[in-house]
Amino acid sequence: MAAQAEFYIVLVELLAKNEKLSFSVRRLNDKIQAHTDKLKKTGSNLQITFHPEINFEAISAEYQHDKRVRVQSLIPMDQAEQVYNSLSKEAPYKLALLRDGRPTTLADNEWKQLPDNQKQSLHTETMQNAAKGIGFIYGRYQLSNQKEPIANLAALHQWLNSEEVLSWVREMSGHQDIVAASAQATRYTAGQFLTRHMDTHSTEQRRLAYVLSFSPNWHPDWGGLLQFYEKNGTPRDAWAPGFNTLSIFDVEHIHSVTYITPFSLTPRLSVTGWFRATPL
């Protein structure tokens, strides 16, 4: 693909000698060069776009009602399937949990090397904390904002930080200071969860949280619901995982990810993060 783009650039340079075509050719050249630069940066042919049938006006109106909205079919299906393949087959998830009261991550090999008594101790600590409404356990893979090695996820991360997406989020939410979107891949399997919390963060200046779900054929009985709560802790409604579905909401909404049941058949996969007022 890069070689093909270089051929077109040479062709454009030859055509540019014709002054009548020079303006149009320069515009074409700029587009080709931008695409070539993107390929060099991400190593992926995937170009993420909004689904052409998205109704931005209706989405914005729904968000204004309660500062949260769910968007079905965010991107074209073929693009979503490529992202899903990378989430399910390429991402090297680490186990995220609290250890001695502090957030930590363990790679698969680190977990396997732990003695059984330490594994049991971590499990006990996790369950005891959860009983008090504290803590989490799930798989996570932090996407790099510099040189993400998984090409399809790099393409998605770049798109989330594109002016196309950021300007839409600013307009919808009214937060004109949003400048970036962080991103991590998450995988929840049987027995995993995220307890009730808000996503406010003074240093990062988070404005909106998002969950871009890639969990095909998810049954709500399997758990993993994005559960919302009133300020006093009373449960509100809950959104089940979907495929190519974006849930986006103000960071002051109290929420959790409910316990994944032992009989769930597939992992709960998503890309999550925050639209924020500070650079990555």
Side-chain angles (χ1 to χ4, degrees):
M1 178 61 73
Q4 185 181 31
E6 290 174 2
F7 166 76
Y8 284 132
I9 291 172
V10 172
L11 178 61
V12 164
E13 290 173 348
L14 292 174
L15 290 173
K17 294 180 180 179
N18 186 330
E19 294 182 359
K20 292 181 180 180
L21 297 176
S22 61
F23 177 72
S24 297
V25 166
R26 282 197 301 272
R27 292 183 62 187
L28 177 60
N29 187 31
D30 289 343
K31 290 183 179 181
I32 292 174
Q33 187 61 55
H35 179 61
T36 302
D37 291 343
K38 183 175 182 180
L39 288 177
K40 290 178 179 178
K41 190 171 183 180
T42 67
S44 173
N45 291 330
L46 179 61
Q47 295 187 68
I48 306 290
T49 60
F50 280 115
H51 193 286
E53 296 182 5
I54 282 185
N55 187 333
F56 293 103
E57 185 175 344
I59 292 169
S60 180
E62 184 175 347
Y63 177 86
Q64 297 305 320
H65 177 68
D66 192 29
K67 293 188 177 181
R68 58 182 184 140
V69 67
R70 199 169 197 217
V71 183
Q72 306 287 351
S73 300
L74 180 70
I75 61 179
M77 185 58 69
D78 61 323
Q79 299 175 18
E81 288 172 348
Q82 291 185 65
V83 173
Y84 169 72
N85 286 336
S86 292
L87 290 173
S88 60
K89 299 175 182 178
E90 297 182 77
Y93 297 96
K94 293 184 177 181
L95 186 66
L97 73 168
L98 291 180
R99 188 176 191 180
D100 298 326
R102 297 181 179 181
T104 189
T105 57
L106 292 170
D108 285 346
N109 63 321
E110 293 176 310
W111 173 258
K112 291 176 182 177
Q113 290 173 6
L114 287 178
D116 288 342
N117 64 326
Q118 289 190 32
K119 291 179 182 178
Q120 183 58 48
S121 177
L122 278 175
H123 177 76
T124 300
E125 179 184 359
T126 300
M127 294 301 123
Q128 289 177 344
N129 285 334
K132 303 172 187 175
I134 302 170
F136 51 85
I137 181 169
Y138 62 92
R140 70 185 295 266
Y141 170 63
Q142 184 67 48
L143 273 63
S144 170
N145 62 314
Q146 297 297 326
K147 194 174 181 181
E148 170 56 47
I150 301 177
N152 289 335
L153 299 185
L156 178 63
H157 196 197
Q158 283 193 5
W159 180 69
L160 289 169
N161 282 278
S162 69
E163 189 57 29
E164 177 185 32
V165 174
L166 295 178
S167 61
W168 167 61
V169 174
R170 291 188 205 107
E171 182 178 355
M172 178 184 67
S173 67
H175 290 295
Q176 296 301 321
D177 56 355
I178 289 174
V179 297
S182 61
Q184 64 175 357
T186 64
R187 180 186 65 188
Y188 287 75
T189 57
Q192 298 184 341
F193 57 86
L194 173 62
T195 57
R196 189 178 57 195
H197 65 287
M198 291 193 299
D199 282 342
T200 53
H201 194 289
S202 58
T203 302
E204 294 182 5
Q205 298 183 49
R206 299 171 182 171
R207 300 296 185 244
L208 286 86
Y210 73 88
V211 179
L212 182 49
S213 182
F214 293 94
S215 299
N217 304 313
W218 189 268
H219 195 294
D221 285 349
W222 297 349
L225 307 180
L226 178 58
Q227 174 73 59
F228 292 96
Y229 300 85
E230 303 287 358
K231 295 292 185 183
N232 63 4
T234 302
R236 299 180 63 188
D237 53 350
W239 296 346
F243 188 81
N244 191 19
T245 300
L246 174 70
S247 300
I248 185 167
F249 50 95
D250 189 280
V251 293
E252 293 191 356
H253 274 295
I254 303 171
H255 61 285
S256 69
V257 176
T258 63
Y259 184 83
I260 306 290
T261 62
F263 52 84
S264 59
L265 297 180
T266 59
R268 178 192 188 271
L269 300 175
S270 59
V271 174
T272 71
W274 301 276
F275 289 97
R276 44 192 273 180
T278 55
L280 297 175

